[in-house]
Amino acid sequence: MKGNLLSVEQAAVRLGLSLWTVYRLARAGNLGSVRIGRRRLFAEEDLEAFVKATRSAARASHHQSRDG
């Protein structure tokens, strides 16, 4: 694993989201995380993967609405 593990607070700041949104995304499996004890931590690479997946979904949605 490369990169640091980030707290929920740090991940929220990096993504520009609320803490609760980050928790919800992690619980739903949309944002990768690890649990160590009671803490939920996020790898930087998981944040990057989430942003890429979100961009891809937005592009696909945009193309469908434009073509449909």
Side-chain angles (χ1 to χ4, degrees), residues 2-66:
K2 58 183 180 174
N4 296 321
L5 289 176
L6 306 171
S7 68
V8 175
E9 294 85 2
Q10 292 168 319
V13 168
R14 292 261 180 110
L15 294 171
L17 300 172
S18 73
L19 294 175
W20 299 115
T21 299
V22 172
Y23 276 120
R24 276 194 296 269
L25 290 168
R27 275 191 234 117
N30 296 321
L31 177 57
S33 67
V34 294
R35 295 232 10 183
I36 300 176
R38 297 185 69 179
R39 296 186 70 197
R40 187 177 293 272
L41 300 170
F42 300 85
E44 290 176 335
E45 60 196 24
D46 287 333
L47 299 184
E48 292 171 15
F50 172 75
V51 170
K52 286 180 184 177
T54 302
R55 282 184 183 160
S56 295
R59 285 187 190 126
S61 175
H62 177 73
H63 289 301
Q64 279 183 340
S65 65
R66 196 174 59 179

